[in-house]
Amino acid sequence: MIAAAAFSLNPAADAQAMLAFDFMRNAFIAGSCIALASGLVGYFVVLRNQVFTTDALGHVAFTGGLGGLLIGVDLLAGLFASCVAVALLMGSLGGRGRGRDVAIGTVFAWVLGVGVLFLSLYTSAAGTNNSVVGISVLFGSIFGLQATQTLVAAVAGLAASGALLVVARPLLFVSLDPDVAVSRGVPVRLVAAVFMILVAITVAEAVQAVGALLVLGLMVTPAAIAQSLTSRPYLALAMSAAIATSAVWVGLTLAFWFPYPASFFITSIAFLGYLATRVAAFGSRS
C-alpha cells in the first residue's frame, strides 16, 4: 500500500491521517475481529496438535472460494461453506494421531487437485479481474474489503470468539485428557465437532486478511508464542488473542505507510515474535 500522506512521527496525527480513509477503517475493524478469533481458536489448534488441519483448510478455502465463483456463488459463501463441510469431513474420518493425519492428508491431496482445476477454469473464463481474485484469495486483500465484507468478517469473528469462550472449559478438558473427559460424561464428539466448525469459520475469514497460503502465520504463530511464555491455559488463551491482534494492528499500520503487502507485515511480525521467544528460551537454558 502506497502511503497516502507524509509520515510525521506524530502518533496522533499519523493515526488520524490513516483512519481518515474508509478502506483503513474497514481493514482495522475486520482485522481486529479476525485476529481475535484467530488467536483464541489458534490456541486450541496448537494445544490439540491440529496445525496440519489448519493448513489443509487454508487450501480448502482457496478451492471453495474459486469453486463458488465458478457456479455464480459469492466468494465468501464459497469460503465458509467449503471450509465447514471439509472440516466436518476431516473430523469424521480420523481421530487423534496417525489416523487423523492420514485422513487429513487424503482429503488435502484431493482438494489441491480440485483447486488446480478450479484455478485453471476460472482464470480462463471471460473477465479481466479473474487473476486478481485468485491472487487475493491466496495472499489476502484486507485493504480491498467493502462495507458488507467488513460486516461479515466482524460478525463471524466475534461470533467465533464468543462460541469458543463458551466451549473453552470442556474443550480444554477434552484436549488435555479425552479419556477422563469421556468418563466424566463430557460429549467429546460434539465438542470436537463444534471446535472443527470454529476452526473452519476462523480459517475462512482469516483468508481475507492474510490469504490461504499464510493463514498459519495468524492462527498458529501467536498461539505458539503464548504457550512458550506461560503454561497457564486461560492466560495463554488471552495472550494468543492479544498477540494476534497486535500483529494485525502493527501490520496494517506499516502497510499503510510503506509500499509492501499487509499480509507480509502481519506474518513477519508474528514470526519475529516467535523467534524472539525461542531465542530467549534458548538463552535461559544456557
PDB file of all heavy atoms in Angstrom, residues 204-242:
ATOM      1  N   ALA A 204     -11.672 -19.443   7.207  1.00  0.00           N
ATOM      2  CA  ALA A 204     -12.340 -18.791   6.083  1.00  0.00           C
ATOM      3  C   ALA A 204     -12.259 -17.276   6.176  1.00  0.00           C
ATOM      4  O   ALA A 204     -12.016 -16.589   5.174  1.00  0.00           O
ATOM      5  CB  ALA A 204     -13.808 -19.232   6.018  1.00  0.00           C
ATOM      6  N   GLU A 205     -12.427 -16.734   7.369  1.00  0.00           N
ATOM      7  CA  GLU A 205     -12.363 -15.282   7.500  1.00  0.00           C
ATOM      8  C   GLU A 205     -10.928 -14.778   7.529  1.00  0.00           C
ATOM      9  O   GLU A 205     -10.633 -13.672   7.044  1.00  0.00           O
ATOM     10  CB  GLU A 205     -13.106 -14.824   8.746  1.00  0.00           C
ATOM     11  CG  GLU A 205     -12.548 -15.349  10.047  1.00  0.00           C
ATOM     12  CD  GLU A 205     -13.220 -14.716  11.251  1.00  0.00           C
ATOM     13  OE1 GLU A 205     -13.993 -13.775  11.050  1.00  0.00           O
ATOM     14  OE2 GLU A 205     -12.967 -15.164  12.385  1.00  0.00           O
ATOM     15  N   ALA A 206     -10.005 -15.590   8.063  1.00  0.00           N
ATOM     16  CA  ALA A 206      -8.608 -15.172   8.097  1.00  0.00           C
ATOM     17  C   ALA A 206      -8.007 -15.077   6.705  1.00  0.00           C
ATOM     18  O   ALA A 206      -7.049 -14.322   6.488  1.00  0.00           O
ATOM     19  CB  ALA A 206      -7.789 -16.139   8.953  1.00  0.00           C
ATOM     20  N   VAL A 207      -8.556 -15.830   5.758  1.00  0.00           N
ATOM     21  CA  VAL A 207      -8.084 -15.766   4.367  1.00  0.00           C
ATOM     22  C   VAL A 207      -8.193 -14.338   3.840  1.00  0.00           C
ATOM     23  O   VAL A 207      -7.366 -13.893   3.037  1.00  0.00           O
ATOM     24  CB  VAL A 207      -8.889 -16.750   3.493  1.00  0.00           C
ATOM     25  CG1 VAL A 207      -8.688 -16.471   2.006  1.00  0.00           C
ATOM     26  CG2 VAL A 207      -8.477 -18.182   3.808  1.00  0.00           C
ATOM     27  N   GLN A 208      -9.197 -13.595   4.290  1.00  0.00           N
ATOM     28  CA  GLN A 208      -9.367 -12.221   3.824  1.00  0.00           C
ATOM     29  C   GLN A 208      -8.228 -11.316   4.300  1.00  0.00           C
ATOM     30  O   GLN A 208      -7.897 -10.333   3.640  1.00  0.00           O
ATOM     31  CB  GLN A 208     -10.695 -11.650   4.336  1.00  0.00           C
ATOM     32  CG  GLN A 208     -11.914 -12.392   3.839  1.00  0.00           C
ATOM     33  CD  GLN A 208     -13.184 -11.745   4.331  1.00  0.00           C
ATOM     34  OE1 GLN A 208     -13.676 -10.779   3.763  1.00  0.00           O
ATOM     35  NE2 GLN A 208     -13.716 -12.263   5.429  1.00  0.00           N
ATOM     36  N   ALA A 209      -7.632 -11.654   5.443  1.00  0.00           N
ATOM     37  CA  ALA A 209      -6.574 -10.816   5.994  1.00  0.00           C
ATOM     38  C   ALA A 209      -5.197 -11.183   5.468  1.00  0.00           C
ATOM     39  O   ALA A 209      -4.425 -10.315   5.044  1.00  0.00           O
ATOM     40  CB  ALA A 209      -6.582 -10.906   7.521  1.00  0.00           C
ATOM     41  N   VAL A 210      -4.859 -12.474   5.503  1.00  0.00           N
ATOM     42  CA  VAL A 210      -3.502 -12.884   5.138  1.00  0.00           C
ATOM     43  C   VAL A 210      -3.456 -13.854   3.978  1.00  0.00           C
ATOM     44  O   VAL A 210      -2.369 -14.192   3.490  1.00  0.00           O
ATOM     45  CB  VAL A 210      -2.776 -13.505   6.358  1.00  0.00           C
ATOM     46  CG1 VAL A 210      -2.581 -12.467   7.435  1.00  0.00           C
ATOM     47  CG2 VAL A 210      -3.542 -14.710   6.895  1.00  0.00           C
ATOM     48  N   GLY A 211      -4.599 -14.347   3.511  1.00  0.00           N
ATOM     49  CA  GLY A 211      -4.615 -15.253   2.375  1.00  0.00           C
ATOM     50  C   GLY A 211      -4.524 -16.708   2.775  1.00  0.00           C
ATOM     51  O   GLY A 211      -4.107 -17.050   3.892  1.00  0.00           O
ATOM     52  N   ALA A 212      -4.901 -17.584   1.855  1.00  0.00           N
ATOM     53  CA  ALA A 212      -4.941 -19.016   2.131  1.00  0.00           C
ATOM     54  C   ALA A 212      -3.559 -19.591   2.427  1.00  0.00           C
ATOM     55  O   ALA A 212      -3.411 -20.513   3.235  1.00  0.00           O
ATOM     56  CB  ALA A 212      -5.557 -19.743   0.936  1.00  0.00           C
ATOM     57  N   LEU A 213      -2.528 -19.060   1.777  1.00  0.00           N
ATOM     58  CA  LEU A 213      -1.191 -19.617   1.944  1.00  0.00           C
ATOM     59  C   LEU A 213      -0.510 -19.185   3.229  1.00  0.00           C
ATOM     60  O   LEU A 213       0.445 -19.823   3.681  1.00  0.00           O
ATOM     61  CB  LEU A 213      -0.307 -19.232   0.748  1.00  0.00           C
ATOM     62  CG  LEU A 213      -0.716 -19.783  -0.614  1.00  0.00           C
ATOM     63  CD1 LEU A 213       0.287 -19.365  -1.682  1.00  0.00           C
ATOM     64  CD2 LEU A 213      -0.829 -21.309  -0.567  1.00  0.00           C
ATOM     65  N   LEU A 214      -0.979 -18.096   3.841  1.00  0.00           N
ATOM     66  CA  LEU A 214      -0.305 -17.547   5.013  1.00  0.00           C
ATOM     67  C   LEU A 214      -1.143 -17.611   6.277  1.00  0.00           C
ATOM     68  O   LEU A 214      -0.800 -16.999   7.286  1.00  0.00           O
ATOM     69  CB  LEU A 214       0.091 -16.077   4.741  1.00  0.00           C
ATOM     70  CG  LEU A 214       0.975 -15.827   3.520  1.00  0.00           C
ATOM     71  CD1 LEU A 214       1.204 -14.343   3.324  1.00  0.00           C
ATOM     72  CD2 LEU A 214       2.316 -16.545   3.668  1.00  0.00           C
ATOM     73  N   VAL A 215      -2.241 -18.360   6.235  1.00  0.00           N
ATOM     74  CA  VAL A 215      -3.166 -18.370   7.357  1.00  0.00           C
ATOM     75  C   VAL A 215      -2.523 -18.919   8.633  1.00  0.00           C
ATOM     76  O   VAL A 215      -2.893 -18.520   9.742  1.00  0.00           O
ATOM     77  CB  VAL A 215      -4.432 -19.173   6.988  1.00  0.00           C
ATOM     78  CG1 VAL A 215      -4.114 -20.650   6.835  1.00  0.00           C
ATOM     79  CG2 VAL A 215      -5.541 -18.951   7.998  1.00  0.00           C
ATOM     80  N   LEU A 216      -1.554 -19.805   8.502  1.00  0.00           N
ATOM     81  CA  LEU A 216      -0.873 -20.346   9.681  1.00  0.00           C
ATOM     82  C   LEU A 216      -0.177 -19.256  10.483  1.00  0.00           C
ATOM     83  O   LEU A 216      -0.086 -19.342  11.709  1.00  0.00           O
ATOM     84  CB  LEU A 216       0.146 -21.405   9.267  1.00  0.00           C
ATOM     85  CG  LEU A 216      -0.384 -22.770   8.820  1.00  0.00           C
ATOM     86  CD1 LEU A 216       0.767 -23.679   8.442  1.00  0.00           C
ATOM     87  CD2 LEU A 216      -1.214 -23.408   9.904  1.00  0.00           C
ATOM     88  N   GLY A 217       0.322 -18.231   9.790  1.00  0.00           N
ATOM     89  CA  GLY A 217       1.031 -17.159  10.478  1.00  0.00           C
ATOM     90  C   GLY A 217       0.158 -16.408  11.455  1.00  0.00           C
ATOM     91  O   GLY A 217       0.634 -15.895  12.470  1.00  0.00           O
ATOM     92  N   LEU A 218      -1.135 -16.328  11.189  1.00  0.00           N
ATOM     93  CA  LEU A 218      -2.047 -15.591  12.060  1.00  0.00           C
ATOM     94  C   LEU A 218      -2.713 -16.494  13.082  1.00  0.00           C
ATOM     95  O   LEU A 218      -3.014 -16.055  14.191  1.00  0.00           O
ATOM     96  CB  LEU A 218      -3.124 -14.893  11.216  1.00  0.00           C
ATOM     97  CG  LEU A 218      -4.035 -13.897  11.951  1.00  0.00           C
ATOM     98  CD1 LEU A 218      -3.218 -12.817  12.642  1.00  0.00           C
ATOM     99  CD2 LEU A 218      -5.022 -13.267  10.976  1.00  0.00           C
ATOM    100  N   MET A 219      -2.941 -17.764  12.748  1.00  0.00           N
ATOM    101  CA  MET A 219      -3.644 -18.655  13.661  1.00  0.00           C
ATOM    102  C   MET A 219      -2.722 -19.450  14.574  1.00  0.00           C
ATOM    103  O   MET A 219      -3.072 -19.706  15.721  1.00  0.00           O
ATOM    104  CB  MET A 219      -4.533 -19.627  12.870  1.00  0.00           C
ATOM    105  CG  MET A 219      -5.767 -19.000  12.295  1.00  0.00           C
ATOM    106  SD  MET A 219      -6.958 -20.229  11.705  1.00  0.00           S
ATOM    107  CE  MET A 219      -7.414 -21.029  13.248  1.00  0.00           C
ATOM    108  N   VAL A 220      -1.562 -19.836  14.087  1.00  0.00           N
ATOM    109  CA  VAL A 220      -0.707 -20.743  14.846  1.00  0.00           C
ATOM    110  C   VAL A 220       0.422 -20.019  15.569  1.00  0.00           C
ATOM    111  O   VAL A 220       0.710 -20.297  16.741  1.00  0.00           O
ATOM    112  CB  VAL A 220      -0.137 -21.833  13.918  1.00  0.00           C
ATOM    113  CG1 VAL A 220       0.884 -22.693  14.651  1.00  0.00           C
ATOM    114  CG2 VAL A 220      -1.268 -22.701  13.378  1.00  0.00           C
ATOM    115  N   THR A 221       1.074 -19.070  14.905  1.00  0.00           N
ATOM    116  CA  THR A 221       2.253 -18.429  15.488  1.00  0.00           C
ATOM    117  C   THR A 221       1.951 -17.677  16.782  1.00  0.00           C
ATOM    118  O   THR A 221       2.680 -17.842  17.770  1.00  0.00           O
ATOM    119  CB  THR A 221       2.915 -17.490  14.464  1.00  0.00           C
ATOM    120  OG1 THR A 221       3.092 -18.180  13.233  1.00  0.00           O
ATOM    121  CG2 THR A 221       4.265 -17.013  14.978  1.00  0.00           C
ATOM    122  N   PRO A 222       0.906 -16.831  16.858  1.00  0.00           N
ATOM    123  CA  PRO A 222       0.610 -16.170  18.139  1.00  0.00           C
ATOM    124  C   PRO A 222       0.341 -17.160  19.265  1.00  0.00           C
ATOM    125  O   PRO A 222       0.758 -16.947  20.410  1.00  0.00           O
ATOM    126  CB  PRO A 222      -0.627 -15.328  17.822  1.00  0.00           C
ATOM    127  CG  PRO A 222      -0.543 -15.061  16.360  1.00  0.00           C
ATOM    128  CD  PRO A 222       0.025 -16.328  15.784  1.00  0.00           C
ATOM    129  N   ALA A 223      -0.359 -18.257  18.952  1.00  0.00           N
ATOM    130  CA  ALA A 223      -0.640 -19.273  19.965  1.00  0.00           C
ATOM    131  C   ALA A 223       0.643 -19.952  20.422  1.00  0.00           C
ATOM    132  O   ALA A 223       0.820 -20.235  21.617  1.00  0.00           O
ATOM    133  CB  ALA A 223      -1.611 -20.305  19.404  1.00  0.00           C
ATOM    134  N   ALA A 224       1.547 -20.214  19.492  1.00  0.00           N
ATOM    135  CA  ALA A 224       2.825 -20.833  19.849  1.00  0.00           C
ATOM    136  C   ALA A 224       3.638 -19.912  20.750  1.00  0.00           C
ATOM    137  O   ALA A 224       4.291 -20.363  21.701  1.00  0.00           O
ATOM    138  CB  ALA A 224       3.608 -21.177  18.584  1.00  0.00           C
ATOM    139  N   ILE A 225       3.605 -18.619  20.461  1.00  0.00           N
ATOM    140  CA  ILE A 225       4.310 -17.649  21.306  1.00  0.00           C
ATOM    141  C   ILE A 225       3.729 -17.659  22.715  1.00  0.00           C
ATOM    142  O   ILE A 225       4.456 -17.718  23.719  1.00  0.00           O
ATOM    143  CB  ILE A 225       4.205 -16.229  20.708  1.00  0.00           C
ATOM    144  CG1 ILE A 225       4.923 -16.158  19.365  1.00  0.00           C
ATOM    145  CG2 ILE A 225       4.795 -15.190  21.671  1.00  0.00           C
ATOM    146  CD1 ILE A 225       4.701 -14.849  18.629  1.00  0.00           C
ATOM    147  N   ALA A 226       2.396 -17.600  22.802  1.00  0.00           N
ATOM    148  CA  ALA A 226       1.733 -17.551  24.106  1.00  0.00           C
ATOM    149  C   ALA A 226       2.035 -18.803  24.928  1.00  0.00           C
ATOM    150  O   ALA A 226       2.313 -18.714  26.137  1.00  0.00           O
ATOM    151  CB  ALA A 226       0.228 -17.402  23.908  1.00  0.00           C
ATOM    152  N   GLN A 227       2.003 -19.973  24.293  1.00  0.00           N
ATOM    153  CA  GLN A 227       2.244 -21.204  25.034  1.00  0.00           C
ATOM    154  C   GLN A 227       3.692 -21.345  25.466  1.00  0.00           C
ATOM    155  O   GLN A 227       3.988 -22.059  26.427  1.00  0.00           O
ATOM    156  CB  GLN A 227       1.808 -22.408  24.191  1.00  0.00           C
ATOM    157  CG  GLN A 227       0.301 -22.493  24.006  1.00  0.00           C
ATOM    158  CD  GLN A 227      -0.149 -23.782  23.347  1.00  0.00           C
ATOM    159  OE1 GLN A 227       0.538 -24.790  23.400  1.00  0.00           O
ATOM    160  NE2 GLN A 227      -1.313 -23.740  22.725  1.00  0.00           N
ATOM    161  N   SER A 228       4.604 -20.663  24.771  1.00  0.00           N
ATOM    162  CA  SER A 228       6.005 -20.689  25.187  1.00  0.00           C
ATOM    163  C   SER A 228       6.274 -19.726  26.341  1.00  0.00           C
ATOM    164  O   SER A 228       7.279 -19.856  27.034  1.00  0.00           O
ATOM    165  CB  SER A 228       6.914 -20.341  24.000  1.00  0.00           C
ATOM    166  OG  SER A 228       6.762 -18.982  23.627  1.00  0.00           O
ATOM    167  N   LEU A 229       5.359 -18.775  26.545  1.00  0.00           N
ATOM    168  CA  LEU A 229       5.542 -17.780  27.605  1.00  0.00           C
ATOM    169  C   LEU A 229       4.879 -18.167  28.918  1.00  0.00           C
ATOM    170  O   LEU A 229       5.300 -17.713  29.983  1.00  0.00           O
ATOM    171  CB  LEU A 229       4.992 -16.420  27.143  1.00  0.00           C
ATOM    172  CG  LEU A 229       5.723 -15.750  25.978  1.00  0.00           C
ATOM    173  CD1 LEU A 229       5.022 -14.464  25.570  1.00  0.00           C
ATOM    174  CD2 LEU A 229       7.177 -15.447  26.368  1.00  0.00           C
ATOM    175  N   THR A 230       3.831 -18.975  28.860  1.00  0.00           N
ATOM    176  CA  THR A 230       3.134 -19.371  30.082  1.00  0.00           C
ATOM    177  C   THR A 230       2.485 -20.741  29.905  1.00  0.00           C
ATOM    178  O   THR A 230       2.095 -21.117  28.796  1.00  0.00           O
ATOM    179  CB  THR A 230       2.044 -18.338  30.453  1.00  0.00           C
ATOM    180  OG1 THR A 230       1.388 -18.755  31.655  1.00  0.00           O
ATOM    181  CG2 THR A 230       1.012 -18.205  29.350  1.00  0.00           C
ATOM    182  N   SER A 231       2.389 -21.470  30.999  1.00  0.00           N
ATOM    183  CA  SER A 231       1.723 -22.771  30.984  1.00  0.00           C
ATOM    184  C   SER A 231       0.305 -22.686  31.528  1.00  0.00           C
ATOM    185  O   SER A 231      -0.394 -23.699  31.594  1.00  0.00           O
ATOM    186  CB  SER A 231       2.525 -23.779  31.824  1.00  0.00           C
ATOM    187  OG  SER A 231       2.650 -23.319  33.170  1.00  0.00           O
ATOM    188  N   ARG A 232      -0.130 -21.494  31.895  1.00  0.00           N
ATOM    189  CA  ARG A 232      -1.485 -21.300  32.411  1.00  0.00           C
ATOM    190  C   ARG A 232      -2.445 -21.163  31.225  1.00  0.00           C
ATOM    191  O   ARG A 232      -2.338 -20.222  30.439  1.00  0.00           O
ATOM    192  CB  ARG A 232      -1.544 -20.063  33.304  1.00  0.00           C
ATOM    193  CG  ARG A 232      -0.658 -20.174  34.540  1.00  0.00           C
ATOM    194  CD  ARG A 232      -0.550 -18.864  35.277  1.00  0.00           C
ATOM    195  NE  ARG A 232      -1.862 -18.376  35.710  1.00  0.00           N
ATOM    196  CZ  ARG A 232      -2.039 -17.187  36.296  1.00  0.00           C
ATOM    197  NH1 ARG A 232      -0.979 -16.383  36.495  1.00  0.00           N
ATOM    198  NH2 ARG A 232      -3.246 -16.810  36.664  1.00  0.00           N
ATOM    199  N   PRO A 233      -3.382 -22.075  31.069  1.00  0.00           N
ATOM    200  CA  PRO A 233      -4.205 -22.127  29.854  1.00  0.00           C
ATOM    201  C   PRO A 233      -4.959 -20.839  29.537  1.00  0.00           C
ATOM    202  O   PRO A 233      -4.895 -20.348  28.405  1.00  0.00           O
ATOM    203  CB  PRO A 233      -5.170 -23.286  30.132  1.00  0.00           C
ATOM    204  CG  PRO A 233      -4.478 -24.133  31.137  1.00  0.00           C
ATOM    205  CD  PRO A 233      -3.702 -23.188  31.984  1.00  0.00           C
ATOM    206  N   TYR A 234      -5.670 -20.300  30.516  1.00  0.00           N
ATOM    207  CA  TYR A 234      -6.510 -19.147  30.213  1.00  0.00           C
ATOM    208  C   TYR A 234      -5.671 -17.884  29.986  1.00  0.00           C
ATOM    209  O   TYR A 234      -6.037 -17.026  29.193  1.00  0.00           O
ATOM    210  CB  TYR A 234      -7.531 -18.942  31.322  1.00  0.00           C
ATOM    211  CG  TYR A 234      -8.561 -20.048  31.360  1.00  0.00           C
ATOM    212  CD1 TYR A 234      -8.563 -20.987  32.386  1.00  0.00           C
ATOM    213  CD2 TYR A 234      -9.502 -20.187  30.341  1.00  0.00           C
ATOM    214  CE1 TYR A 234      -9.479 -22.024  32.400  1.00  0.00           C
ATOM    215  CE2 TYR A 234     -10.427 -21.221  30.346  1.00  0.00           C
ATOM    216  CZ  TYR A 234     -10.414 -22.134  31.379  1.00  0.00           C
ATOM    217  OH  TYR A 234     -11.328 -23.169  31.389  1.00  0.00           O
ATOM    218  N   LEU A 235      -4.548 -17.785  30.671  1.00  0.00           N
ATOM    219  CA  LEU A 235      -3.645 -16.664  30.417  1.00  0.00           C
ATOM    220  C   LEU A 235      -3.049 -16.793  29.022  1.00  0.00           C
ATOM    221  O   LEU A 235      -2.967 -15.806  28.274  1.00  0.00           O
ATOM    222  CB  LEU A 235      -2.529 -16.633  31.459  1.00  0.00           C
ATOM    223  CG  LEU A 235      -1.461 -15.545  31.268  1.00  0.00           C
ATOM    224  CD1 LEU A 235      -2.094 -14.153  31.264  1.00  0.00           C
ATOM    225  CD2 LEU A 235      -0.382 -15.646  32.355  1.00  0.00           C
ATOM    226  N   ALA A 236      -2.649 -17.990  28.632  1.00  0.00           N
ATOM    227  CA  ALA A 236      -2.109 -18.213  27.289  1.00  0.00           C
ATOM    228  C   ALA A 236      -3.163 -17.931  26.223  1.00  0.00           C
ATOM    229  O   ALA A 236      -2.854 -17.393  25.153  1.00  0.00           O
ATOM    230  CB  ALA A 236      -1.599 -19.648  27.160  1.00  0.00           C
ATOM    231  N   LEU A 237      -4.406 -18.287  26.512  1.00  0.00           N
ATOM    232  CA  LEU A 237      -5.503 -18.014  25.578  1.00  0.00           C
ATOM    233  C   LEU A 237      -5.648 -16.518  25.340  1.00  0.00           C
ATOM    234  O   LEU A 237      -5.763 -16.057  24.189  1.00  0.00           O
ATOM    235  CB  LEU A 237      -6.801 -18.598  26.138  1.00  0.00           C
ATOM    236  CG  LEU A 237      -8.038 -18.588  25.237  1.00  0.00           C
ATOM    237  CD1 LEU A 237      -7.821 -19.473  24.016  1.00  0.00           C
ATOM    238  CD2 LEU A 237      -9.251 -19.063  26.028  1.00  0.00           C
ATOM    239  N   ALA A 238      -5.621 -15.738  26.426  1.00  0.00           N
ATOM    240  CA  ALA A 238      -5.734 -14.280  26.309  1.00  0.00           C
ATOM    241  C   ALA A 238      -4.519 -13.689  25.606  1.00  0.00           C
ATOM    242  O   ALA A 238      -4.640 -12.781  24.768  1.00  0.00           O
ATOM    243  CB  ALA A 238      -5.893 -13.664  27.694  1.00  0.00           C
ATOM    244  N   MET A 239      -3.340 -14.210  25.921  1.00  0.00           N
ATOM    245  CA  MET A 239      -2.117 -13.697  25.295  1.00  0.00           C
ATOM    246  C   MET A 239      -2.104 -13.998  23.807  1.00  0.00           C
ATOM    247  O   MET A 239      -1.667 -13.162  22.998  1.00  0.00           O
ATOM    248  CB  MET A 239      -0.887 -14.314  25.976  1.00  0.00           C
ATOM    249  CG  MET A 239      -0.649 -13.824  27.384  1.00  0.00           C
ATOM    250  SD  MET A 239       0.774 -14.644  28.162  1.00  0.00           S
ATOM    251  CE  MET A 239       2.097 -14.095  27.104  1.00  0.00           C
ATOM    252  N   SER A 240      -2.571 -15.165  23.416  1.00  0.00           N
ATOM    253  CA  SER A 240      -2.614 -15.520  21.998  1.00  0.00           C
ATOM    254  C   SER A 240      -3.489 -14.537  21.221  1.00  0.00           C
ATOM    255  O   SER A 240      -3.106 -14.066  20.142  1.00  0.00           O
ATOM    256  CB  SER A 240      -3.140 -16.944  21.842  1.00  0.00           C
ATOM    257  OG  SER A 240      -3.234 -17.306  20.476  1.00  0.00           O
ATOM    258  N   ALA A 241      -4.669 -14.222  21.781  1.00  0.00           N
ATOM    259  CA  ALA A 241      -5.555 -13.259  21.127  1.00  0.00           C
ATOM    260  C   ALA A 241      -4.923 -11.883  21.063  1.00  0.00           C
ATOM    261  O   ALA A 241      -5.020 -11.185  20.039  1.00  0.00           O
ATOM    262  CB  ALA A 241      -6.890 -13.204  21.869  1.00  0.00           C
ATOM    263  N   ALA A 242      -4.253 -11.467  22.144  1.00  0.00           N
ATOM    264  CA  ALA A 242      -3.621 -10.146  22.183  1.00  0.00           C
ATOM    265  C   ALA A 242      -2.468 -10.049  21.189  1.00  0.00           C
ATOM    266  O   ALA A 242      -2.288  -9.020  20.509  1.00  0.00           O
ATOM    267  CB  ALA A 242      -3.126  -9.849  23.596  1.00  0.00           C
TER     268      ALA A 242
END
